[in-house]
Amino acid sequence: MALSVIMISGCGKIEDIRITSARLVQITPSGLRGVKAIVEAGVDNPSMTFTVSDISGTVYYKGARYVDFEAAEPIVVKKKTSELHTVEVDGRVSDGVSLLSVLSLARNFDMNQVSVDIEASVKAKGIKKKISLKQVPLNKLAGKIKL
């Protein structure tokens, strides 16, 4: 999810950057209301090197707020590469949602019923741009990305 924001930075010739895959590798409880997740995203970048930082957002399931998240570290996508990027995410389960519900959603994941808010900063060649997407269905995320 988080890496999809790289495509909307508006820097240079990035119209050919593509997210080629995305998957939830792992999700584990962290305390009573927290989760830690590892997400893996494939990125084909025929363009310039850029960094995605300050990644945060919210996951919604059937319109209900489930988890607020933020990435632990910035992501650097090197120029002219096609690589898998691992993103470690810390999340907090929303009030009124049980931790078991979140873990069950992860096991029985249906991207047609999940949407996200994503905020991030993208920096390339000294230019930094703030990105914000609101309640974008995961199955339509690529269509919402504007260059």
Side-chain angles (χ1 to χ4, degrees):
M1 289 181 291
L3 279 178
S4 62
V5 299
I6 61 177
M7 295 173 58
I8 57 176
S9 68
C11 301
K13 294 183 174 185
I14 64 164
E15 60 272 0
D16 293 329
I17 296 171
R18 299 284 177 253
I19 295 179
T20 58
S21 64
R23 71 182 183 103
L24 178 64
V25 175
Q26 179 181 350
I27 187 167
T28 56
S30 176
L32 296 175
R33 304 291 301 159
V35 291
K36 291 191 177 283
I38 299 174
V39 177
E40 185 178 76
V43 180
D44 181 27
N45 178 19
S47 189
M48 66 189 91
T49 297
F50 57 90
T51 301
V52 184
S53 61
D54 305 322
I55 303 165
S56 64
T58 302
V59 176
Y60 299 87
Y61 177 63
K62 294 183 178 178
R65 185 181 203 132
Y66 254 55
V67 176
D68 294 316
F69 68 88
E70 50 184 56
E73 300 287 330
I75 302 156
V76 177
V77 180
K78 296 178 184 171
K79 66 180 178 180
K80 300 185 190 306
T81 59
S82 185
E83 298 178 327
L84 291 175
H85 296 271
T86 301
V87 183
E88 293 182 19
V89 177
D90 295 318
R92 174 143 174 78
V93 177
S94 297
D95 291 338
V97 176
S98 75
L99 183 57
L100 291 176
S101 302
V102 172
L103 297 174
S104 177
L105 172 64
R107 275 193 305 269
N108 304 306
F109 188 73
D110 179 359
M111 71 186 318
N112 294 315
Q113 297 182 350
V114 177
S115 60
V116 293
D117 294 345
I118 299 174
E119 293 191 10
S121 295
V122 179
K123 185 176 180 180
K125 294 189 176 187
I127 299 170
K128 188 172 185 177
K129 183 173 181 179
K130 191 80 170 161
I131 305 304
S132 182
L133 298 174
K134 299 292 181 191
Q135 292 243 355
V136 178
L138 281 184
N139 62 349
K140 297 183 179 170
L141 190 60
K144 295 293 182 185
I145 296 169
K146 304 295 183 206
L147 298 173

